[in-house]
Structure formats: C-alpha cells, structure tokens
Amino acid sequence: MSFPKNFLWGGATAANQLEGGYNEGGRGLANVDVVPYGKERFLVSMGKRRMLDFEEGYYYPAQKGIDFYHHYKEDIAMFAKMGFKVFRMSLAWTRIFPNGDESEPNEEGLAFYDDVFAELKKYNIEPLVTITHFDMPIHLIKEYGGWKNRKLISFYKNLVTVLADRYKDVVKYWITFNEINMILHLPFMGAGLVFEEGENETEAKYKAVHNELVASAWATKILHEANPEAMVGCMVAAGNYYPYSCNPEDVWASMGKDRDNFGFIDVQSRGYYPSYLTKMLEREGIDVGMTEEDEQILREHTVDYISFSYYSSRCISTDPKNTETVGNAFKGTRNPYLKASDWGWAIDPLGLRITLNTLWDRYQKPLFIVENGLGAFDTLENDTVQDDYRIEYMKAHITEMEKAIREDGVNLLGYTSWGCIDLVSASTGEMSKRYGFIYVDRDDKGNGTFKRYEKKSFDWYRKVIASNGEEL
C-alpha cells in the first residue's frame, strides 16, 4: 500500500470560523470576532482599518460561526461516521484567558474543551490542536499593541503552560501558530496589528513575527517537558511560486517570494535566522529585538514536524503587463496553464507534489498537510449536494500526494482536508464559499437553521479513509 498503515486521515477547522458562542462560557472578545463581513473585511484584516469592537451597521459572522459550541457532539459523530483518524481544531485563547493577561484561566472555557476531547476519544479520533489560529484577545491589542510587544511572549507561555498541564495525556499533536507567514499579508488576523499613520509597517510585522517565533520555541519546550512523546509542529501557508517565464528576473522574483514564505519555518525548523532574512532586516534597518535568550531558545527547541496548508500554487512575473490574480491574500500573476476556482484560486494538483518535495528536501522533517480543499458554491437539493467538482479536486490532489510518498520518498504523517464541515471563510467572511463534506444551513447574512446535511463527497471521503487511500 502506498499510504502508511498509521496514516492520519481527517479534517480541519478553526475555532473562530465554526465555534460561535462568542459571549458564552466566560469567553472574552477576540480579534477575529470583530472582522466584519463585507468590503471592509480585508482592510480590517490588514490592520489598515481600526475596528476593535462591534460597530453598528456591520455583520460579524464569527459571533455564531456554525454554532459548533452547541453542535460539537453531532459534528464529531458525523466525523466518526466518515472514519476520521484525526481532527484538526484550534483553541479559542479568549475561552481560556478572556483578556489574555490574567494569571488564572477560565475554568468554564477549559471544561468545554475537556468535553470536546472526551467526545473525540469516544470515537478514537486523535486531536490535532492549533494553539493559536488567527486568534487573540482584543485586550492584548488595545493594551499592548498585539504581537509587536514582547510582553505577549509571556502571556502565550502562560496559555501553553495551562494547556500542557491539562492536556498532556490527551493531545499528542500540536501546532503552535497557524500560517505564521500570513502576518506579512493579513497582520491584524495574524498578529493583532493595527497600524498608526506614519508607522513603519514592515518593522512592526517582523517584530511581531520574531515574538511569535520565540513564543513558538517556548511552547515546544513546555509541551515536550510535559510529555516527551508530544509532537509539536509549525505551520506555513504553502504553495510554490512559479516564474512566469524563463526570464532570470522572473526566476529570481519567484525565489524571493518562496523565501518570504519559508523564512519563518526555516527558523522554527533549523533554530536560527537564515542569512537571506538577516540581510534583509539589515537593509531595512529593522531590529527585531533578538536577545541571547531568544537565540538559545530558538536553537534548542525546534519543531518536530512541518505542517502546511495548500490550496494552489502561485505565479510571479516582473512584467507589469501581466495580470494579477484576485481573491487571495497572496498576490501573483495568472498562470495560463491552470484553471481557477470560483474565487480565482489556481487549481494545481501537481503543485501539491512539488510543494511536498520542496519542503521535504528543505527540512528533512516529517510533513503534515493540515489544510487542502476546494471552496465552491454548493446547491442543496433533496437534502444533499452533488459536489462532484469537489471530489475531482480532492481525488487529483490525493493522487499527487500518494506519488510524493511512493515515488519521491516524502515522509508524510497525515492529511486533514480544510473545512471538513462548512464554516465561515477566513478571507471573505462568506458561508457561500463552502469547503465541507457536510453542508450547514447558514448563509452569508447569518440566516439559516444550522442544520447539517451530508454531501455526496461525505460518502466518497469515507471510502477513501476506509481503503487508506486506495479507493479514490
């Protein structure tokens, strides 16, 4: 068989996109709560529009999400019916520390996750837990300025210490930060950054990244000390940049874009800043605040595996006449050889194999695909969705994944498809951008019953898992 016997098949979600219950169980207000649906969503996510509380006239989809907070037993039962081996989820920081800087956690929030983990154990589903998935207390932004302030390292360490003590015998697989490179593209979502007029935005971003890198290393240390068998990973929003042409300028530009994506993973995996990143910071006159203790913790506590999201490859051209892609935080040039999704994302199954090989060659550490899927318009008819387009997309990507394992020797731990149940889109705030095997009755304006329905892809993925990837 091409896939290892212990290969971890499952699905992926994020607390802020499905939980809801934003004002229940003692939970505090988070940055992701106040990112609205509509034309200003992108400006808020980029830190260009200050919105640190709910404002009249806006709809905030994270307030209710898909109400996993009240439906988790039903949803986990459906995951079990598909045969999930693993469920990637994240913890809402504000459920555990509502303001983020308290000394003692909120027991009611921890009890909710106790119940979720117990339900997963009931079905022998392994939890894969992202500690921070575009999620932080709004208080830490108002009071400290977000992750550009070093004080957040200690608050994050306090969070991780509580998690390590509580869940050391429950959770084996951890991810410290979701898509850490997204700070460069959506800094409010990634690091709680809101830019003031005249502020050096590049410096603020790299200071925030540095503090998250140091915090990630501390988390790795804390989790390993609590349970030496724990596996702690980092995560990157991946997908290689192709040069648009063989013009050396295009090739060099694509190399630079890939370095932007991989630079922070270089630190988390290797334990030090790569020279190209150090030189860039020198040229920009940026001091990230590196201390001797930072250097030591980064060096001594690298991650055990590399996890990543993959939706599409990207393309870059230095010719201004070439058209930029739309609908994505990552800007690039349209690839004329590839079709695109309903939201303009290039569909490139072979690009997943290329990305897998790039990461494996670069790090020689186990890999984990923790996000992959097709966002599409789905139509519910007769209590189901005939989503053959999703099946074809996933079938093509899993085929390339299998080739990377069998033909290229890539060490791949598992695969969790993104949005295994329909949830709120992080980039657009839409419900109509659906990824799941499970349809949720909820629309872009917050209407609907939250009722769940199995799509055609539900049964297809069940057979994929049951056959360990042999039956596609």
Side-chain angles (χ1 to χ4, degrees):
M1 298 179 70
S2 298
F3 289 96
K5 289 184 179 180
N6 60 349
F7 192 77
L8 294 170
W9 296 95
T13 61
N16 72 85
Q17 293 168 255
L18 88 163
E19 272 189 11
Y22 80 100
N23 58 354
E24 299 183 58
R27 183 186 182 277
L29 194 65
N31 61 326
V32 286
D33 297 331
V34 298
V35 183
Y37 171 76
K39 61 182 181 180
E40 293 201 48
R41 184 177 181 86
F42 199 60
L43 290 175
V44 174
S45 298
M46 292 178 66
K48 302 285 191 181
R49 160 76 159 88
R50 187 178 184 86
M51 188 177 285
L52 300 183
D53 207 337
F54 301 124
E55 296 183 11
E56 191 173 346
Y58 292 93
Y59 167 57
Y60 297 92
Q63 287 183 335
K64 292 188 177 180
I66 61 165
D67 199 28
F68 179 80
Y69 190 71
H70 297 107
H71 289 78
Y72 70 90
K73 289 187 178 181
E74 173 190 355
D75 293 341
I76 291 171
M78 295 183 82
F79 300 156
K81 185 177 178 181
M82 274 187 282
F84 278 19
K85 310 296 183 185
V86 62
F87 173 53
R88 183 192 173 208
M89 53 178 280
S90 72
L91 305 176
W93 191 340
T94 51
R95 286 206 187 280
I96 300 166
F97 288 98
N99 288 324
D101 58 0
E102 300 95 337
S103 57
E104 297 297 325
N106 171 35
E107 179 59 31
E108 196 172 352
L110 288 166
F112 169 69
Y113 292 116
D114 289 344
D115 292 342
V116 171
F117 290 140
E119 203 67 18
L120 290 169
K121 185 177 181 180
K122 173 180 168 182
Y123 296 105
N124 295 314
I125 299 174
E126 192 89 46
L128 166 59
V129 175
T130 309
I131 297 170
T132 301
H133 190 130
F134 297 156
D135 184 299
M136 65 181 299
I138 207 79
H139 174 74
L140 298 184
I141 301 171
K142 291 180 176 179
E143 187 68 23
Y144 304 96
W147 270 102
K148 63 185 177 184
N149 191 325
R150 281 188 66 92
K151 289 182 179 179
L152 266 74
I153 297 174
S154 63
F155 301 142
Y156 184 84
K157 286 169 64 177
N158 194 28
L159 170 67
V160 176
T161 300
V162 168
L163 298 179
D165 180 63
R166 186 93 166 201
Y167 301 123
K168 60 181 178 291
D169 298 322
V170 177
V171 180
K172 177 181 179 182
Y173 298 96
W174 299 89
I175 298 171
T176 55
F177 289 93
N178 178 70
E179 296 182 335
I180 194 168
N181 55 321
M182 197 61 76
I183 290 178
L184 300 181
H185 307 280
L186 301 175
F188 180 73
M189 292 189 76
L193 301 184
V194 181
F195 300 114
E196 306 296 336
E197 188 174 348
E199 182 176 7
N200 185 330
E201 296 183 12
T202 302
E203 182 175 54
K205 291 176 186 178
Y206 279 94
K207 281 186 174 180
V209 168
H210 176 75
N211 291 333
E212 286 196 5
L213 291 171
V214 173
S216 175
W218 277 109
T220 305
K221 179 179 188 294
I222 292 165
L223 292 165
H224 281 156
E225 287 176 349
N227 179 6
E229 299 301 313
M231 292 194 68
V232 185
C234 56
M235 187 187 168
V236 60
N240 285 63
Y241 270 92
Y242 302 149
Y244 185 78
S245 73
C246 53
N247 181 342
E249 295 291 336
D250 286 356
V251 176
W252 180 247
S254 70
M255 185 175 181
K257 288 291 187 180
D258 281 341
R259 282 176 163 180
D260 285 345
N261 283 336
F262 297 141
F264 310 142
I265 307 302
D266 285 353
V267 180
Q268 292 173 292
S269 180
R270 297 171 176 169
Y272 56 89
Y273 273 63
S275 56
Y276 65 82
L277 183 52
T278 300
K279 286 295 184 183
M280 185 279 291
L281 294 172
E282 287 178 3
R283 287 193 303 272
E284 296 290 332
I286 296 173
D287 179 4
V288 296
M290 178 79 78
T291 67
E292 289 184 9
E293 184 183 44
D294 290 351
E295 290 181 347
Q296 181 179 354
I297 198 76
L298 290 171
R299 182 174 62 253
E300 295 180 358
H301 297 284
T302 55
V303 294
D304 302 308
Y305 67 96
I306 314 295
S307 72
F308 67 97
S309 59
Y310 177 85
Y311 296 97
S312 68
S313 58
R314 293 124 194 171
C315 192
I316 188 73
S317 171
T318 54
D319 186 341
K321 294 195 299 289
N322 290 318
T323 308
E324 277 194 341
T325 55
V326 294
N328 197 330
F330 294 90
K331 297 299 181 183
T333 303
R334 293 187 184 277
N335 189 325
Y337 297 96
L338 299 175
K339 295 180 180 179
S341 73
D342 293 336
W343 274 264
W345 295 27
I347 297 175
D348 183 10
L350 180 56
L352 176 56
R353 183 180 181 182
I354 293 168
T355 297
L356 281 162
N357 276 273
T358 299
L359 291 169
W360 176 243
D361 291 348
R362 191 177 187 103
Y363 300 116
Q364 292 291 296
K365 287 191 174 185
L367 306 179
F368 207 135
I369 301 171
V370 294
E371 290 185 29
N372 172 246
L374 177 68
F377 292 110
D378 288 343
T379 302
L380 184 69
E381 293 180 343
N382 300 317
D383 292 345
T384 191
V385 175
Q386 299 297 323
D387 57 341
D388 295 275
Y389 42 87
R390 180 169 292 109
I391 293 170
E392 290 306 309
Y393 175 97
M394 297 192 69
K395 183 185 298 185
H397 284 76
I398 291 173
T399 297
E400 296 300 330
M401 185 170 80
E402 184 268 341
K403 291 177 183 176
I405 296 171
R406 175 172 52 86
E407 298 183 20
D408 309 329
V410 171
N411 182 357
L412 186 61
L413 297 173
Y415 173 85
T416 57
S417 67
W418 176 249
C420 49
I421 181 170
D422 290 347
L423 37 66
V424 176
S425 168
S427 59
T428 67
E430 295 168 302
M431 274 299 302
S432 56
K433 187 180 183 183
R434 298 178 182 273
Y435 286 88
F437 307 117
I438 301 166
Y439 184 96
V440 178
D441 180 27
R442 188 77 169 165
D443 68 18
D444 291 343
K445 295 181 180 179
N447 303 307
T449 64
F450 290 119
K451 188 174 180 181
R452 275 69 164 147
Y453 302 88
E454 297 176 11
K455 302 179 187 178
K456 183 177 181 180
S457 57
F458 184 103
D459 191 58
W460 172 81
Y461 196 48
R462 182 189 60 78
K463 292 175 182 176
V464 171
I465 297 174
S467 66
N468 197 26
E470 293 298 306
E471 186 177 340
L472 296 179

